[in-house]
Amino acid sequence: MSENTPKSFTGRLRSFVSSESCFYLLVVFFVLQALWIALSGRYPMAFDENFHFGIIKLYAHHISPFWGGNPPDSGAFGPVAHDPSYLYQWLMSFPYRLVGVFTSSQTAQIIALRLVNIALFTAGLPLYRRLLLKTGASKTIVHFCLALFVLVPIAPLLAAQINYDNLFFPLTATALLLAISFSERLRRGQFDLERLAWLAVIAMLGCLVKYAFLPIALAIVSYLLVRLKRTYRSVGDLGSAIKKGWSSVSGRLRWLLLSLLVVSFGLFAQRYFVNLVRYHAPVPSCEQVLTVKECGAYGPWARDYEY
């Protein structure tokens, strides 16, 4: 009896850890941690929360994501007009405007934006669960790994504040899932143009959320190019597969994807290509765009300049 009890307990524990209930419990636990930090944490918290909130307020008075020049009194935020990592701040300016309709309290505005960030980060958890399951690991191992991640203090701390990493987190998982899904279908002889188009859109927009997405996008592109080269022996075979994939996409979805590709490419080119042509760098340093005096108000640049 005593020999069977530990085995029975171990079996029940393993069964629970591998269950959907365990994953939902992890998500709820994570959200509760992040909520407590978001509601009790004094502004600004670490990870440059005041930096992101300041740029969000700039965009709240400017409907377009484009600037004719650097906004007035924006030296503390660096070369805003040419910073490629702007999409998060621009998108977050819309909930900020909405909250501003009901209250002018900065505390209420910050808490509201923190709640949006918790939702963004939490949306990445089921995506990474799917991604880890793609490796062939059991649900027990995957849920155990996610539990360790949720228990790391920095995870809920980051989710509970205004920071572009909270959008970067789910976008990265989405891009990787699309790349793996496209590769799996390619292995079965299917050229899934729809998934490839969605991947291109996510990759270009991800680079506009945070320029650190560039090496991730480059790795995905390199991987898919190798897979395509191994699958299709000639350009003609690839062209035929693309035509077949195009015909399999329904009419309305086809035009939606084309529109999204054009818009995302235009936004990507407007920052990265223009920066390359004008400043010979995809992410120009502050002194390339502004004067040294103006850059002196930008903390990270001023610190490096003093060193």
Side-chain angles (χ1 to χ4, degrees):
M1 185 71 175
S2 59
E3 292 179 357
N4 293 331
T5 303
K7 293 181 180 179
S8 177
F9 173 76
T10 303
R12 290 198 302 270
L13 179 61
R14 184 177 297 173
S15 177
F16 172 73
V17 172
S18 65
S19 67
E20 300 293 316
S21 300
C22 177
F23 175 70
Y24 295 142
L25 186 63
L26 288 174
V27 173
V28 170
F29 178 70
F30 177 82
V31 171
L32 289 176
Q33 289 184 94
L35 281 174
W36 182 79
I37 296 170
L39 295 174
S40 62
R42 181 179 295 180
Y43 173 83
M45 288 197 281
F47 306 117
D48 302 322
E49 189 176 34
N50 57 339
F51 173 82
H52 294 290
F53 186 60
I55 299 179
I56 287 168
K57 289 193 289 185
L58 287 176
Y59 276 112
H61 302 286
H62 189 79
I63 192 66
S64 167
F66 312 121
W67 301 89
N70 227 48
D73 304 319
S74 64
F77 308 115
V80 175
H82 292 276
D83 186 358
S85 307
Y86 72 92
L87 191 59
Y88 165 83
Q89 290 97 340
W90 180 68
L91 291 174
M92 288 296 290
S93 72
F94 292 97
Y96 172 80
R97 294 174 224 226
L98 179 62
V99 175
V101 173
F102 301 99
T103 178
S104 59
S105 167
Q106 178 172 284
T107 300
Q109 293 165 350
I110 290 169
I111 289 176
L113 294 185
R114 285 178 176 178
L115 295 180
V116 174
N117 278 264
I118 292 174
L120 289 173
F121 194 100
T122 304
L125 294 177
L127 295 174
Y128 279 98
R129 177 177 180 256
R130 289 179 57 191
L131 190 61
L132 290 171
L133 288 172
K134 289 282 188 181
T135 64
S138 67
K139 287 185 179 181
T140 303
I141 294 175
V142 169
H143 291 174
F144 180 74
C145 291
L146 288 174
L148 292 178
F149 175 73
V150 165
L151 290 170
V152 174
I154 201 172
L157 181 64
L158 174 62
Q161 59 185 280
I162 304 167
N163 189 282
Y164 55 9
D165 286 325
N166 293 318
L167 180 55
F168 182 85
F169 182 68
L171 280 180
T172 302
T174 303
L176 293 173
L177 279 170
L178 285 170
I180 292 173
S181 178
F182 176 81
S183 179
E184 288 174 343
R185 288 174 177 264
L186 200 63
R187 194 176 293 113
R188 297 195 296 266
Q190 302 173 15
F191 189 94
D192 195 334
L193 191 61
E194 179 184 339
R195 273 179 171 75
L196 187 61
W198 281 116
L199 174 58
V201 170
I202 294 296
M204 286 186 284
L205 295 181
C207 293
L208 295 174
V209 170
K210 188 176 182 179
Y211 65 83
F213 199 94
L214 277 171
I216 297 174
L218 181 61
I220 291 174
V221 169
S222 301
Y223 168 72
L224 292 182
L225 285 176
V226 171
R227 293 287 298 114
L228 288 170
K229 186 176 180 181
R230 289 180 178 178
T231 304
Y232 302 104
R233 296 182 178 180
S234 66
V235 177
D237 292 340
L238 177 60
S240 300
I242 292 174
K243 288 180 181 180
K244 188 176 180 180
W246 174 260
S247 62
S248 65
V249 181
S250 63
R252 290 184 179 180
L253 181 58
R254 186 183 300 173
W255 290 110
L256 172 63
L257 289 173
L258 275 175
S259 301
L260 289 174
L261 283 168
V262 170
V263 171
S264 56
F265 179 78
L267 293 173
F268 181 88
Q270 189 272 335
R271 287 296 164 101
Y272 284 103
F273 291 176
V274 169
N275 284 346
L276 281 171
V277 171
R278 186 174 297 179
Y279 303 109
H280 309 294
V283 186
S285 58
C286 185
E287 76 276 7
Q288 291 180 280
V289 182
L290 307 175
T291 65
V292 172
K293 183 178 180 181
E294 290 173 318
C295 291
Y298 181 37
W301 184 91
R303 175 199 61 208
D304 296 341
Y305 183 76
E306 289 297 326
Y307 286 154

